[in-house]
Amino acid sequence: MSTEAPESTMGTKPVEQHKWLEKLVGEWTTESEMSMGPGEPLMKSQGKESVSMLGGLWAHIQGSATMPDGCEMTYITALGYDVSFNEYRGAWFSDMSSHLWKYVGTLSEDGRVMTLNCVGPNMVKDGETANYRDVIEIIDDNNRVMTSYGEDENGEWQQFMKCTYTRK
């Protein structure tokens, strides 16, 4: 008697756009630099990240980082391609914030850069929201960079964090 579960004929099957997510799979170390505001010194953080695929459809990311004040932050990210809406979608949440960051993204024509847009709490004005953008660039099989931006009151994108990922 076979103990293997039969392959389901139901559900979404991975498509070409899901293959990009496989580039994220693996164990990574992270080094981040972030600015807490104009004119403020850059703060540094180190961490680790583990990425696996869920059903060939979602990159499931679990990470942690030591913050500049010495506290550890843990986070979870899910990134996938939604075949119903023909766009990349995702979510990010952590033990340091009650906000669920919901991404909508695009992939560059050359397949090296994913741009994820979202709305979240304004970091400068309490009680307001702001637009944010995370840009993931694949450097090579063992290196990637994520740069985070916030949109200011003039509609300009201001970088506030850059994280470098190195495959273990």
Side-chain angles (χ1 to χ4, degrees):
M1 176 182 260
S2 174
T3 59
E4 290 183 30
E7 186 173 317
S8 175
T9 58
M10 299 178 70
T12 304
K13 302 291 184 226
V15 296
E16 184 67 29
Q17 290 85 345
H18 290 107
K19 289 184 181 178
W20 187 89
L21 301 166
E22 294 173 4
K23 297 176 184 202
L24 305 177
V25 171
E27 302 297 319
W28 302 85
T29 58
T30 66
E31 291 189 27
S32 301
E33 289 186 338
M34 59 201 93
S35 170
M36 299 316 244
E40 296 291 323
L42 287 177
M43 302 178 101
K44 297 184 183 241
S45 171
Q46 291 81 36
K48 60 185 177 182
E49 195 171 87
S50 179
V51 184
S52 60
M53 289 298 292
L54 183 62
L57 300 172
W58 293 94
H60 175 256
I61 302 166
Q62 290 185 271
S64 64
T66 302
M67 303 307 288
D69 67 359
C71 292
E72 185 165 302
M73 173 192 66
T74 302
Y75 61 90
I76 295 177
T77 307
L79 290 176
Y81 183 77
D82 189 320
V83 300
S84 298
F85 292 91
N86 295 316
E87 63 190 9
Y88 287 93
R89 291 194 170 189
W92 183 95
F93 58 95
S94 78
D95 61 358
M96 302 280 285
S97 170
S98 64
H99 185 72
L100 175 65
W101 297 82
K102 295 182 267 185
Y103 292 123
V104 174
T106 58
L107 190 60
S108 64
E109 284 190 32
D110 65 4
R112 289 186 54 241
V113 178
M114 178 176 282
T115 301
L116 300 165
N117 293 299
C118 63
V119 175
N122 190 313
M123 294 181 196
V124 180
K125 297 179 182 174
D126 285 338
E128 294 187 20
T129 60
N131 295 319
Y132 294 94
R133 176 175 287 165
D134 286 343
V135 178
I136 302 169
E137 181 179 4
I138 303 297
I139 306 302
D140 57 39
D141 288 345
N142 297 310
N143 298 280
R144 62 184 159 100
V145 173
M146 183 178 78
T147 308
S148 297
Y149 301 88
E151 187 178 27
D152 67 18
E153 61 277 353
N154 298 318
E156 301 288 326
W157 291 100
Q158 303 297 323
Q159 178 181 327
F160 64 87
M161 188 184 79
K162 185 172 189 174
C163 186
T164 303
Y165 299 78
T166 304
R167 192 180 299 277
K168 289 183 183 181

